[in-house]
Every structure is written in structure tokens, then in C-alpha cells.
Amino acid sequence: MKIGQALKMALKSILGNKGRSALTMLGIIIGIASVMTIVSTISGMNKKSMEMMAAMGTNKITVSASYNNGRDAFQDLYDYCQKLSDYVDGVTPNSQFSATVVYGAKNSAKMGGSGGMGYYGGGMMVASEGGSGSENTEMPPTLYFGSDQYAICNNFKIAKGRDITLLDIQDYKQVCVLGARAAQTFFNYVDPVGKTMQVNGLPYTVIGVYKEKDPDSKWSMDNIIVFPYTVKRMLAPSTTLTEFSVKAKSSDAAVEATSRIISFLTGLMGQNREKGYFSAQSENQWQQNSNDYATMMSLVMGGIAAISLLVGGIGIMNIMLVTVTERTREIGIRRAIGAERGSIVTQFLIEAAMICGIGGIIGIAIGTLGTRIAGRLLVQMNIWPSLGITLGAFALSVALGILFGIYPAAKASKLQPVEALRAE
């Protein structure tokens, strides 16, 4: 039997029993849609997370350090990192603080989103509950204390004006640099460089604006304002700088620098940390761990959803066995006029594969819609299933049809012509 003829016969059989065929496909549809939605959503979230990390800069080392007596450890860390010029490009505090920022009619205290999401520790996005109830869709900026190397450590580049300098740090200059989103929020299309903003009632001059690098996110990493860390005593005197970022020259340099920083802090805080607490970890390792975790979650959740595919496959086998019984006389006639066992097997395998293939296509369509909805509801992202996942889902559905259709097809091909022709 030719493949084309087998396809026509399979399609005729499916259309001849529309209700039964639809119910048979249901398990495959649900299974493919579930697996696609779960795997695509987790994959999309992980990809976005990796893009955010790349935007914030690679080869970063996250350092936490604090003395028991409350003294800031940053100056010690800064001085030491200057001696590691072969491994380190920069070091900065990454500490947030709260303050009211005002320019003209714009007031950060009246902006919406105070109960939404924000960036902590240089780029990690976290959710908080509640909300202001305000209809104002502008998000208040995240305020950071930084060194003259903040831009280097966090992969920012100056678009207008200049960056914070060592002189600004040493002279306690009341200046700040805005992220692109913060500049747009407070100044719209006006050049903010040289303008003065009120921060907790104190005047701070805008000296620069960073280039935009996260335009699509509602909780943008561009929605920041960076101040020299030495003005902490005026804006947040009770805040202790405990979180720092170190920018290494390469992934290999990050490993060496991390080791040396840990040794240095051990010398400062004591072997048993009797003088304070510290930790240092390369974000390259954190990113790899995050990627491995997302992959594991995709496999686990996808595996759970794939149980419905197993149920759907069993349904395919069951309905194909019923079909063999119903078409016993047809099989007998074909065998009596010389049809080979291979052609009988081919016919039933094609029919099973076609049922699963059609169910797979419908499942892919529903899975794509589910992925889009999940992306918008869960993480406010536009997520599309990758081409690999889509093709893999279709191939899996067809493979299931063939796998679970083998037994019914083999049973049909083994029918003896005389016995088959006697069947009612």
C-alpha cells in the first residue's frame, strides 16, 4: 500500500468517527498543552533572568561584610581591591536606602507601585505584597549608594553628563546620577544634567544620566538614582553599608579574586568571625546554579504534566484495538487478496500517528496560548515557546501514536484471512 493511500484511509476513518476521535485526542491535547506551557514558561523566565544578569554585568562578586561594632567595612574592601588590579576592575557598595525625591510637581512618595517589585542587591527582582492603591502608574526610583566605580560594576554607561568621581566621594558632594527611566519619570524630555532635585529636603545636583538597558520591564533596572556613598551620613545616617559588588576582569579572575577577598576578610574579621560577619560569592556560580535549578524544575514539572500523555497514549491504544475489532472483515478481505502484513501494520500505525499528530497540533496551539497567558500573569513578560520546544512537542505526539499503535497494528496484521472473513 502506498503511503498516500494509507493517509487517505486514515483520515477517512478519523472523520467517520469525529466524536470518538476527538475524545481519543483529548489526552494528547491536554498533555502536550500542559508540558508546553510549563516548560516554555520556566524556560522563558530563566532566559529573562539570564538576560537581566547579563545586563547587570558578568563576572561579578557579591560581598557581604559588617563589623560587630557597626563600622562600615567598605573602605577596607575598597583599598584592598585597588591592590588587585590584575583581577578586579572595580568595587562599589550596593546598598539601597529610602528617601523622598522631589522635582517640581514630581514626588516619589506619591508614585504608584510602592507595593510592587523592586531591584535589590544590584539587580535581583523580588516581589512585595500590598500596594499604595494609587492609580499613578509611575514607579518610584530605587536609590543606591555607590562609589566612583558603580557604573563599571553594574554595567552602566553614561549617556549624558558625567559619572560620580573619586573627588565627589572624598568631598561629600551632593550630586547624583540618574538611570534612564528615572530621568524620564522626573524630567520627561528635559535634559536633567545640572538640575537640582530635593532628596529628603536636601538639594542634590544631577550630574549625569546612564544609558538605557532595560526598556521593556515595568520594574526597570534603569529606574535608579545613585549617590556618592559618603553622603550616607546626611541621607541615611543609620544605614550601614554591608552589601558590595566587585567586578572581576574575567571568569577566571573572578575565581581568584573571590578567594583573595575571602582571605582578606578573614584577616579582618577573624578566623571564627569574632569581629564581624562576611561572605563572598561569584555571581557566575550563582547564575549557573540558577540555570541548573530552572532546568531541573522544567524536567520535574514537565514530567508530572507528561503523565497525562501516558494516559492519552493508553487511550490511543484502546481505541485502535476497538478499530481493529470493528474492521476485522476489511482486514480479512485485504489479506485474502494478497495484502502483506507490513501494509496492514503501516495503515494502522499511520492512523494512530495521525490522531496523535492532530491532537499534538491542537495541544501546541493551546500550549502557546497558555504560555502567553502565564507569562503575562506570573511575571509580566511576553513569552513564546521556542521553535525547539514546538517541534519537539509535535514529534513527541506523533511518536506516542506510533508507540501505542504498535500493538493494535501488530494484532491486526496477524489476523488469519479465513477467521477474519468469518467475523460479523
Side-chain angles (χ1 to χ4, degrees), residues 227-413:
F227 299 83
Y229 72 90
T230 48
V231 302
K232 176 181 71 70
R233 64 180 186 177
M234 292 178 279
L235 293 178
S238 61
T239 299
T240 302
L241 301 180
T242 59
E243 301 296 325
F244 316 105
S245 287
V246 178
K247 174 73 170 181
K249 292 183 178 293
S250 66
S251 58
D252 291 338
V255 174
E256 180 64 25
T258 301
S259 176
R260 294 191 178 215
I261 289 171
I262 290 175
S263 298
F264 170 72
L265 292 175
T266 300
L268 288 181
M269 307 295 183
Q271 189 69 38
N272 297 317
R273 291 175 165 79
E274 57 270 13
K275 295 181 181 178
Y277 169 81
F278 68 89
S279 67
Q281 182 179 17
S282 170
E283 288 193 7
N284 291 352
Q285 183 60 47
W286 187 93
Q287 291 176 28
Q288 183 61 47
N289 292 342
S290 177
N291 194 40
D292 292 343
Y293 177 76
T295 301
M296 181 186 70
M297 286 296 296
S298 295
L299 292 174
V300 172
M301 298 301 292
I304 294 172
I307 294 174
S308 60
L309 285 174
L310 178 62
V311 175
I314 294 172
I316 293 292
M317 181 185 293
N318 180 55
I319 207 66
M320 291 307 296
L321 287 172
V322 172
T323 301
V324 169
T325 302
E326 291 177 343
R327 294 163 63 181
T328 299
R329 285 184 61 83
E330 174 195 329
I331 296 168
I333 293 171
R334 291 185 58 197
R335 292 282 284 147
I337 61 176
E340 297 179 355
R341 288 184 58 187
S343 65
I344 302 296
V345 170
T346 300
Q347 177 188 344
F348 281 91
L349 285 182
I350 287 177
E351 186 171 329
M354 182 173 288
I355 291 174
C356 285
I358 295 172
I361 291 172
I362 298 172
I364 288 170
I366 296 174
T368 300
L369 179 62
T371 300
R372 297 281 293 163
I373 293 173
R376 295 306 303 172
L377 292 180
L378 296 178
V379 288
Q380 290 75 47
M381 287 168 49
N382 292 317
I383 301 176
W384 289 94
S386 68
L387 180 61
I389 291 176
T390 303
L391 294 177
F394 179 73
L396 177 61
S397 64
V398 173
L400 281 171
I402 294 173
L403 178 64
F404 285 93
I406 288 175
Y407 175 68
K411 182 178 179 181
S413 70

